[in-house]
Every structure is written in C-alpha cells, then in structure tokens.
Amino acid sequence: MGEFVRLEIADGIGTIRLDRPKMNALNIQVQEELRAAAASATTDAAVRAVVVYGGERVFAAGADIKEMAGMDYAGMSARAGALSSAFDAVARIPKPVVAAITGYALGGGCELALACDWRVVADDAKLGQPEIKLGVIPGAGGTQRLARLIGPARAKDLIFTGRMVDADEALRIGLADRVVPAADVYTTAVELVSAYRDGPALALRAAKAAIDGGLAMDLASGLAWESQLFASLFATADQTIGMEAFTAKEKPRFTGS
C-alpha cells in the first residue's frame, strides 16, 4: 500500500483509491504508486474487476505542475516514458476497469480515466486536457486514447483549446459512459463491474486483449489475433462449464480457470 494510492479489495472488486489532498495531483510518487497498485490488481486472483476512484471531492486535477515546472528537456525526456507507462499499467489490467469520476478529471487525471474501460461521471464533474494552456501537450496517452475514443476531430478540439467539458457533453461525445449524481458515482461504478465478478475470467481477459490489441492492427491482423485468442479458450475449464451449462439449459457457474 502506497502513501497516496492504495488497492482496497471487497467482494471481488478492487478499488484503486487515490488520496493525495487536496486535488490528487499526480506527481512522480503517485504515478509509481499507481503502477504498483495496477500490478497488484493484475496479479491478485481475488480481484475480478477494478474501480479507479479519487474520492467524493475530485478524481484527479492533473499532474503536479510545480514538480514539472523545474524540469528541462533532458529531465523530462528521461521521465516521460515512465509517466506514460504508469498510466499504461492501468490500461493493461486484464480485467474490467471503470473510472469513478467526481469533481475534476483534467490533464493527467483525464488521461488516467481514459486508461480505463469505462467512465462513470458525476453530473457536476468537469473533464479536459488543458495542457496546451501550459505550452505543452498531453504526455500520458491523451493524444492517443482520446482520439481513439471520441474521434480525431473532437480530440483536436479539446486538446487544441484546452477547454473543459461538462458531464452532459462528455456523455454526448462518448467521453463518459454514465452520468449520475455525485453521491452515486462510486456505487454506480461498482455496480457496473460487479456484473463481471462471477464471469469467466480468462474469457474476459481474452476479450479485452482482442479489442485493445486489435485497435493497433489492420483488420486482417486483428481477425487473426481474435481467432488465436478464441481458440485458446478451448483449453479452459470455463469453456467446458459454459457450453455444458448451455446444452443442459442451466446457469453456468464459472471458476475463473
């Protein structure tokens, strides 16, 4: 457990909880603690799905600008890869992952949310990539994941202007998946991923790998990747359980193996 990031596990749901007052600024320590929490969520069999949560007040208002301001090109070129890979560790958790967003998800905070499979957003939340206003661009996945999620034209609008979007616009453009009152954000996020808690863990892992990996491939390569993953699941106990339950007209009781 880190000083500012911890993994809390209850009933098969792992919550990666950010807690760096006041605004969950994502300094180097938080980035590395995020990496460690993501690794734990990945390897712990007790974790079947993940919620990334910054608390009732704010998800994450961005990187620690005071820490970055003193860095030159040499310093940032040495750090930029680690910054990006810390967020990528969240994206690579091979389980369903949802961001529970209250308050602000700006800059690095928005990039962290983009690394999740879904985003549950408070109705009074604000999201955006304001890095251009600091004379830089998003550096932890924002230019890449945002464009893939909402399309290049909309991503350019948000990144070029640095403007914030409210929850309604986020939902309309596909940046948010559900909008609920702030008090309901965490419970809604838990409910969203709880549906996968008793699912076939290896098939869910394969489905996520097929979709995310296929986005980086041409269609023919993606189809071959899908076929390989599909065939591999016939070596799992859950495939046998699922198909036998289907023929017997029973509900499958998956074991995650």
Side-chain angles (χ1 to χ4, degrees):
M1 185 179 296
E3 181 181 0
F4 299 126
V5 183
R6 59 184 180 270
L7 175 65
E8 303 167 344
I9 305 172
D11 299 324
I13 307 298
T15 298
I16 296 177
R17 173 72 160 92
L18 281 67
D19 187 14
R20 187 187 179 215
K22 299 179 179 179
M23 301 297 284
N24 288 333
L26 301 164
N27 67 354
I28 290 174
Q29 181 178 344
V30 172
Q31 294 161 27
E32 294 308 312
E33 290 181 5
L34 267 172
R35 188 196 308 277
S40 295
T42 294
T43 58
D44 194 329
V47 177
R48 303 298 294 269
V50 177
V51 177
V52 181
Y53 182 51
E56 296 177 356
R57 185 168 181 262
V58 63
F59 183 71
D64 190 326
I65 303 304
K66 291 181 180 179
E67 182 180 70
M68 284 187 173
M71 301 180 75
D72 59 9
Y73 170 73
M76 184 50 76
S77 63
R79 179 62 203 171
L83 165 62
S84 184
S85 67
F87 287 50
D88 201 48
V90 175
R92 292 182 180 276
I93 296 172
K95 303 169 185 180
V97 181
V98 59
I101 299 171
T102 57
Y104 294 100
L106 301 175
C110 189
E111 289 172 307
L112 177 58
L114 290 168
C116 301
D117 300 314
W118 305 281
R119 284 146 293 280
V120 174
V121 176
D123 56 9
D124 59 354
K126 302 288 187 183
L127 298 86
Q129 300 286 172
E131 289 89 347
I132 202 77
K133 296 180 178 180
L134 301 175
V136 295
I137 66 172
T143 65
Q144 302 305 302
R145 291 195 175 96
L146 187 62
R148 285 166 170 78
L149 183 66
I150 67 173
R154 284 174 170 157
K156 288 173 182 176
D157 168 42
L158 296 190
I159 292 169
F160 289 6
T161 64
R163 69 184 182 88
M164 293 186 290
V165 299
D166 61 20
D168 288 341
E169 182 176 0
L171 184 65
R172 186 172 71 251
I173 66 177
L175 181 53
D177 297 287
R178 295 188 187 179
V179 173
V180 297
D184 298 333
V185 164
Y186 181 73
T187 55
T188 302
V190 170
E191 288 170 2
L192 190 156
V193 293
S194 289
Y196 309 106
R197 184 169 42 196
D198 299 321
L202 295 176
L204 287 167
R205 176 191 296 248
K208 184 168 179 173
I211 294 167
D212 290 349
L215 287 171
M217 303 176 188
D218 60 73
L219 180 59
S221 299
L223 290 170
W225 174 230
E226 177 189 71
S227 292
Q228 179 182 347
L229 290 167
F230 169 70
S232 73
L233 292 169
F234 283 76
T236 67
D238 280 345
Q239 174 268 328
T240 301
I241 291 168
M243 292 192 175
E244 288 182 351
F246 177 83
T247 57
K249 295 182 171 58
E250 297 174 351
K251 183 179 180 179
R253 297 183 180 275
F254 295 116
T255 64
S257 59

